[in-house]
Amino acid sequence: MGHMKIVSKEESQPSAAFYLPHHPVMKLSSLTTKLRVVFDASAKNDLVTILMRFRKHQVVIKADVEKMFRQIRVAEEDQDWQRIVWRSQSDKALELYRLTTVTYGTTSASFMATNCLVSLSEEAKQKYPEASKIIRRDFYMDDLMTGASTVDECCQLQKQIDSILVSAHLPLRKWCSNSTEVLERIEDSSDDPLFALQIGEDEIIKSLGLSWKPALDAFQFIVEQKAFMAKSTKITLLSDLNRIFDPLGFLAPVLVRGKIFLQQLWQLKIEWAQQLPEELSNRW
């Protein structure tokens, strides 16, 4: 995709450059990319607001931008701040490269990617006012979660949003909906088998860190049963509580009991690594 190019040994060295540390992340459950190269940094957006709006719609659609960061070019004068040391095989010599596109993991990546969407939204405001508003507010990085009151409105929005982003070479894929009629009416102009997802009644898809079941239009929480630990401490208890990602607080009535229990341990002045008495461990 041209997201990086080798730094020639013959070219003059810039006055300043930076090499990004990177590491692989495996996600075997992914339908597309099993291994990603991740660069160190972090970013935040208003996740809760997007999810709350998503729950208000009668008919919803979801999609994500294919390789979003790799579609956005970085100005040539800034590319030397994204150098890496790389080799294609372990027996090859190390070579210098500069990344030419926005790099996930850098502090500015979130802003640059989001700013592209904001710019597209502004350009489309006159022609597609509603789609423009959705592009501005219902994207969380490369994930779109939005909807409308009726199937017709939702289908119209899908076509407009798709058209706007395709015009900037930001193709949307993995379209999904709680309405089978919407999915049937989505026009696939590409050869991508994952352009629109056909999800069974019992299947779930991951979105913004949550498990969503489109057929029921419901979020599902899957809690793995851990083997009973002989040594329970405040550290292990807090770890158990934080394993569940619930930004909208659906499970708050359940989780609050665990938090109250942890608060009681503080009142008993039990240390972080101190093993809990058998009575307290059994209560947990």
Side-chain angles (χ1 to χ4, degrees):
M1 295 182 64
H3 64 268
M4 73 176 185
K5 59 185 179 183
I6 194 167
V7 178
S8 171
K9 295 178 181 178
E10 286 74 33
E11 67 180 275
S12 59
Q13 294 300 310
S15 58
F18 184 78
Y19 289 86
L20 300 172
H22 52 279
H23 62 277
V25 171
M26 296 291 295
K27 187 179 180 183
L28 299 179
S29 61
S30 174
L31 295 174
T32 52
T33 308
K34 304 291 184 184
L35 184 146
R36 293 180 184 272
V37 179
V38 176
F39 300 84
D40 287 347
S42 61
K44 288 185 178 180
N45 274 324
D46 194 357
L47 172 64
V48 173
T49 303
I50 292 173
L51 288 171
M52 289 179 68
R53 274 199 298 266
F54 183 72
R55 300 309 300 155
K56 289 168 59 179
H57 299 300
Q58 189 73 20
V59 185
V60 296
I61 48 175
K62 181 212 169 296
D64 62 55
V65 181
E66 180 182 4
K67 297 181 176 65
M68 184 178 189
F69 293 137
R70 295 304 183 213
Q71 314 282 9
I72 304 170
R73 188 75 61 184
V74 171
E76 282 195 26
E77 59 267 27
D78 295 327
Q79 291 175 9
D80 278 315
W81 294 104
Q82 295 192 144
R83 285 196 177 197
I84 65 170
V85 179
W86 186 265
R87 58 184 171 190
S88 57
Q89 296 179 3
S90 59
D91 58 346
K92 300 291 185 181
L94 290 171
E95 294 183 299
L96 305 182
Y97 285 84
R98 58 171 64 91
L99 301 176
T100 61
T101 56
V102 171
T103 301
Y104 180 75
T106 57
T107 304
S108 59
S110 173
F111 167 77
M112 289 190 287
T114 303
N115 196 51
C116 284
L117 294 177
V118 171
S119 297
L120 282 173
S121 171
E122 285 297 315
E123 293 172 6
K125 185 184 294 185
Q126 297 299 321
K127 187 175 182 180
Y128 301 122
E130 188 61 27
S132 168
K133 182 171 67 175
I134 286 174
I135 291 173
R136 175 181 286 271
R137 73 177 192 179
D138 286 351
F139 268 95
Y140 184 85
M141 296 307 298
D142 58 345
D143 282 304
L144 170 68
M145 296 185 74
T146 190
S149 299
T150 67
V151 168
D152 287 341
E153 290 175 4
C154 203
C155 289
Q156 184 180 39
L157 283 175
Q158 185 273 330
K159 290 180 181 178
Q160 293 176 358
I161 295 169
D162 188 57
S163 174
I164 294 169
L165 266 71
V166 165
S167 71
H169 301 284
L170 294 171
L172 284 161
R173 67 198 308 233
K174 299 181 185 176
W175 285 101
C176 191
S177 174
N178 63 338
S179 166
T180 54
E181 185 178 349
V182 169
L183 287 174
E184 290 170 357
R185 290 168 60 177
I186 290 178
E187 298 177 1
D188 185 359
S189 57
S190 70
D191 297 325
D192 186 356
L194 294 177
F195 182 78
L197 300 180
Q198 301 297 328
I199 304 295
E201 288 188 5
D202 295 325
E203 292 184 83
I204 62 173
I205 61 173
K206 284 286 189 178
S207 185
L208 303 184
L210 295 171
S211 297
W212 179 52
K213 185 174 285 190
L216 298 177
D217 189 17
F219 289 114
Q220 179 174 320
F221 294 88
I222 302 172
V223 181
E224 296 179 4
Q225 291 291 333
K226 292 178 61 178
F228 179 77
M229 298 184 64
K231 183 180 179 181
S232 295
T233 66
K234 284 201 305 187
I235 295 175
T236 61
L237 267 57
L238 186 61
S239 175
D240 287 342
L241 285 172
N242 288 336
R243 284 168 55 219
I244 301 173
F245 181 62
D246 180 26
L248 291 181
F250 290 122
L251 302 182
V254 177
L255 296 179
V256 72
R257 297 178 62 188
K259 294 178 180 180
I260 291 173
F261 182 78
L262 194 61
Q263 185 182 54
Q264 291 171 348
L265 298 184
W266 279 102
Q267 294 171 344
L268 294 172
K269 301 186 183 303
I270 293 176
E271 299 296 329
W272 277 107
Q274 179 182 343
Q275 184 172 351
L276 300 185
E278 184 177 355
E279 178 190 353
L280 293 176
S281 185
N282 290 337
R283 280 180 57 193
W284 179 255

